[in-house]
Every structure is written in structure tokens, then in C-alpha cells.
Amino acid sequence: MTAMTATAAATSSVSPKNMAVLTQLLEARTGQQIASYRSWRIDTALKPLMRDRGLATLDQLVSRLLGGHDLPLADQIVDALVNGETSFFREATVFDSILAAVTEVEAQGCRARIWSAGCSTGQEPLSLAMLFAERREETGAPIPEIVATDVSETALSRARAGRFSQFEVQRGLPIRRAMRWFEPEPQGDWIASSDLVRQVVFRPLNLVSPHWPPGRFDVILCRNVLLYLSAEGKAGVFSRLAAALKPDGLLVLGAGETVIGQTSAFEPSRRLRGFYELAVPVPGAK
Amino acid sequence: MKTCLVVDDSKVIRKVARHILETLNFTVSEAADGREALNHCMASPPDVVLLDWNMPVMNGMDFLRALRESALPGRPKVVFCTTENGMAHIRAAIEAGADEYVMKPFDRETLESKLQIVGLA
Ligand SMILES: C[S@@+](CC[C@H](N)C(=O)[O-])C[C@H]1O[C@@H](n2cnc3c(N)ncnc32)[C@H](O)[C@@H]1O
Ligand SMILES: [Mg+2]
């Protein structure tokens, strides 16, 4: 109750116009939309930045942003507003299916390529790296090429460092894997082994911009990224994801997500539940 | 319903753990040391034991060894839950037969995640 009162009081210190500046900045940079009824989240998420700049209200933060002298501020606001929630082996059964899909690709004599699109702080691609590094130890099979991208440079630099808090290292990660692939520091953080981090190529990439990575992938994970994109935004990303997928490739979305009604580029996979494949174009259809 | 025995000499920790576990649909019982926990397990073995390390009378490690040596039917999962966060302790616990390891302080997400990993949440 007190928390709600406090939040309401703090949020009232932003004019609708200034709130729109913030939501438009986020949407312009990432395609992510924040409905105004969730505006309390904006306040919570930007508190650390306000504190850092010695500002008391969101109105003051927006003035500073528009003042144009605080160059890193826009990036920092975007970073603070995107939802980077993630965990190791999120929806663990998905990883078994990926293993199966990769094995199929390799049966044709190719090294598989996997893309984690919207990788946040790296838990998703590092889970893939662990999975295949363990397979390499058991069978000698090579580790697929793993490319991981995100719009947030802050998230990427954390991912590259492979440093996780004690809470993060316990979410989704079995203790045996933590022991095998991470080293605890006296202060409580856990550091991923460089052998693991080296398996992943981390790169900045904005899914809503037209610049895309070269090459095509056998498996693309784009999980819990597109939820808050506009309908057009989603359709655009799906068609570019389709262009980045090999003909027999698979797209993986988050548990609550679907392509149905969003795009005609993909259809549910007949091979693997919860996965999507390129739609076979209907002859004559445009 | 799944059953969990919370073993910790801190009443506060037992209460916090109980609250979280009940929201995860566990039936919870409590013990304040390893001896009490062992008696409880012999009388009615739970699905999982959430186990503190440092306790009076019998510590978590001695409890775990005794449990794994006992002729108890079934094999309760054991999830350590302790401030002992060093690799040496973790390794010793796993070698003695622990299934998972929670480093304190813990929250709902950590407990839920670890219980999922041992196949119970
Ligand atoms: C909720 S996290 C999901 C992380 C991971 N895929 C998972 O499922 O656990 C969403 C991530 O998508 C990123 N993201 C949001 N909009 C993006 C965009 N337009 N281009 C690339 N990444 C974006 C965010 O920075 C964030 O790290
Ligand atoms: Mg204790």
C-alpha cells in the first residue's frame, strides 16, 4: 500500500508530454512500445539514472535529455527501459529440441549455425554453448557456430564479461553446470569460463533496423523479444528473420508467443512442437 | 501434493521457506537440526529436503550422509540451502549425495528454479 502511494506520487511528477518523449525514444530505438498504463515501470526503471544525475523527477530527466548536452543519456534511458529479463536454460525442454535439430543438420555433413536474437545478458547463448561443449566432451562432435545479438550495448558487454550475480547463476542453471563452467569470486559473482564465452560471437544488432548480419542460420531463437512490438514492427522482423533462415531452418519463439496471425512467412513446425519453419509459398499467391 | 521438509536452525528462515514452498503447492514440515530431520525422514520420508548446513546437534552434512546410508525406501531429493557458498563446500555436498544447492540469500525464483531442476516444481 505504501509502495503504491509512493509510486503514484513519484509518477505524477511527469507531464504526459514528457512521458511521450520517453516512450517515443524507446520505440524509435527498439520498436518496443510501453503502454501508458504501465508508466509506473518507467519511473522505477529510470530511478537509478535520475539518482545518478542528481535529478528528482522524470520531468527534469526529460529536460536534460532534450537539452542535448548529456550525450550518453539517451542510450542509458533506452537500456534502462528495455526488459532484459532472462535466465539460463529458460524453458529447458527447448534445448533438447535444439540439440535434436542440430543433430539432423550435422547428419548432412554441415556445421550448424545458431543465432540468439535478443540475447540480453547472455544466458541464452551461453546455455547453448554449455549444451554443445558438454556434447563435445562426450562425443567429440563440434560446437555449432553461435551468434548472439542484442540492441543493448550494456547487456552485450555484460554478456561478453560472462559475469553473473549469485541470483542469476542460480536461475535455471543446475549446480553441476555452475561448477563445471563457472568460477565463484569471493564477492559472490560467478564468472563463466573463457572457454565457454569464446564459443559465442556477441554483436550489436537492432532487429527493427534494416541492417542484418550476413549469412543464414539453421536455428534462430528470438524469444521474449517481439512481445511489445507493434503489429507492423513484428511483421517486419519476421520477414527479415525468414530471410536469415536456411530453407530447412527452425525459428524458436518464447513460450507465450506465436507467429499465427502475425506473419505469413512462418508456420508451426511439423517436426518440433513450439518451433516454426518457413511457410511453403502457395503457388500463385503473392 | 508434494512434500518438503525444511531443515534449518533459524526459525525465520524456516518460516520464509515454508511460505514460498506453500505458494509452490508443497506440504511443508520443519525440523531445527539434522537429528530431528532424520527422525522425521524415518517416520515419513518427504519428496525433498531443503537442508541448512550449519546447525547444532547434527549439521546438514552429517544428516545427508546418514540419510544416504539409511535403508529408507525411496530416495528423497536433497537441496542444500546454505551461506556456505565456496566451491569446496558445494563439491563436498554433491559428492555426499545432494541433488541441488541453493546459496543463501534465496528468493522465490531461486527455490522454484532449483525445485524444477530436481523435477519437483
Ligand atoms: C526479455 S529479454 C529476452 C532474452 C532472451 N531471449 C530470453 O528469452 O531469455 C529481451 C531482449 O531483447 C532485446 N531487444 C528489445 N528490442 C530489440 C530490438 N529491436 N533489437 C534487438 N534486441 C532487442 C532487449 O534488449 C532484451 O535484452
Ligand atoms: Mg544455520
Side-chain angles (χ1 to χ4, degrees):
Chain A
M1 200 59 218
T2 31
M4 276 190 68
T5 318
T7 310
T11 316
S12 66
S13 65
V14 61
S15 70
K17 205 168 127 228
N18 282 342
M19 186 57 94
V21 169
L22 294 170
T23 56
Q24 280 160 16
L25 171 67
L26 179 67
E27 185 167 3
R29 293 283 188 95
T30 67
Q32 304 285 331
Q33 299 180 322
I34 298 193
S36 51
Y37 67 84
R38 283 167 67 231
S39 58
W40 61 270
R41 266 205 56 207
I42 298 190
D43 191 63
T44 315
L46 295 179
K47 270 270 147 63
L49 270 181
M50 284 154 61
R51 202 176 308 127
D52 178 63
R53 302 294 202 278
L55 304 173
T57 67
L58 283 178
D59 280 329
Q60 290 171 1
L61 189 73
V62 173
S63 305
R64 187 168 180 123
L65 173 71
L66 298 177
H69 295 298
D70 190 343
L71 293 177
L73 188 57
D75 282 352
Q76 289 173 348
I77 289 176
V78 172
D79 271 342
L81 290 181
V82 291
N83 168 7
E85 163 107 9
T86 188
S87 60
F88 289 104
F89 293 95
R90 187 171 190 173
E91 293 148 44
T93 53
V94 163
F95 289 83
D96 302 331
S97 302
I98 291 174
L99 193 59
V102 163
T103 311
E104 257 180 54
V105 171
E106 290 165 341
Q108 282 145 38
C110 314
R111 184 180 178 208
R113 303 188 76 217
I114 308 178
W115 177 17
S116 165
C119 66
S120 191
T121 40
Q123 283 88 331
E124 182 175 273
L126 289 176
S127 299
L128 292 166
M130 275 183 256
L131 188 71
F132 289 105
E134 286 166 11
R135 185 184 69 159
R136 181 182 59 183
E137 282 176 355
E138 280 164 29
T139 70
I143 297 174
E145 191 179 333
I146 304 169
V147 177
T149 63
D150 202 280
V151 70
S152 164
E153 293 277 2
T154 312
L156 284 174
S157 61
R158 286 203 49 207
R160 287 193 189 100
R163 172 187 291 271
F164 297 95
S165 73
Q166 190 172 289
F167 280 107
E168 290 169 329
V169 87
Q170 298 197 83
R171 278 193 68 188
L173 195 63
I175 191 67
R176 283 183 176 75
R177 280 189 162 136
M179 293 163 70
R180 171 65 185 85
W181 296 110
F182 295 77
E183 202 61 61
E185 284 201 330
Q187 302 88 329
D189 283 353
W190 287 61
I191 314 297
S193 88
S194 55
D195 186 34
L196 194 68
V197 178
R198 215 178 13 209
Q199 302 304 330
V200 182
V201 177
F202 290 101
R203 275 199 247 163
L205 183 129
N206 188 346
L207 291 167
V208 298
S209 89
H211 304 289
W212 280 60
R216 293 182 139 196
F217 296 87
D218 298 288
V219 179
I220 301 176
L221 296 88
C222 188
R223 303 192 302 161
N224 310 296
V225 177
L226 305 180
L227 256 57
Y228 300 113
L229 256 56
S230 68
E232 301 98 302
K234 276 184 203 164
V237 174
F238 277 129
S239 67
R240 276 171 286 173
L241 288 175
L245 201 60
K246 289 187 190 167
D248 289 328
L250 291 164
L251 171 69
V252 192
L253 299 177
E257 301 175 281
T258 180
V259 300
I260 296 164
Q262 324 263 357
T263 175
S264 52
F266 289 99
E267 59 190 25
S269 166
R270 273 151 301 205
R271 287 179 282 162
L272 288 169
R273 268 193 62 192
F275 284 50
Y276 299 89
E277 27 190 83
L278 293 172
V280 184
V282 181
K286 207 173 144 245
Chain B
M1 219 141 98
K2 296 154 294 186
T3 52
C4 181
L5 173 63
V6 177
V7 190
D8 202 302
D9 56 332
S10 156
K11 203 174 165 182
V12 176
I13 301 245
R14 292 201 304 272
K15 195 173 162 193
V16 172
R18 169 188 285 276
H19 176 73
I20 295 173
L21 288 160
E22 284 177 350
T23 66
L24 296 171
N25 287 324
F26 279 86
T27 302
V28 178
S29 39
E30 298 177 21
D33 61 63
R35 169 63 49 206
E36 221 182 275
L38 209 51
N39 291 339
H40 186 288
C41 285
M42 294 310 151
S44 59
D47 294 315
V48 57
V49 180
L50 191 69
L51 182 63
D52 186 23
W53 193 301
N54 297 308
M55 294 178 290
V57 186
M58 181 190 265
N59 71 25
M61 202 56 174
D62 291 339
F63 162 84
L64 176 59
R65 292 208 180 92
L67 181 76
R68 291 301 185 226
E69 276 162 21
S70 73
L72 203 66
R75 184 185 180 281
K77 303 278 186 191
V78 172
V79 177
F80 255 109
C81 183
T82 170
T83 48
E84 300 292 354
N85 295 348
M87 199 63 112
H89 278 88
I90 299 176
R91 192 162 287 128
I94 297 299
E95 273 164 17
D99 298 283
E100 262 303 333
Y101 203 97
V102 171
M103 298 173 266
K104 285 176 181 166
F106 61 90
D107 61 3
R108 184 180 197 282
E109 277 173 4
T110 309
L111 270 197
E112 183 173 17
S113 173
K114 291 295 182 176
L115 288 164
Q116 255 165 19
I117 288 170
V118 300
L120 284 171

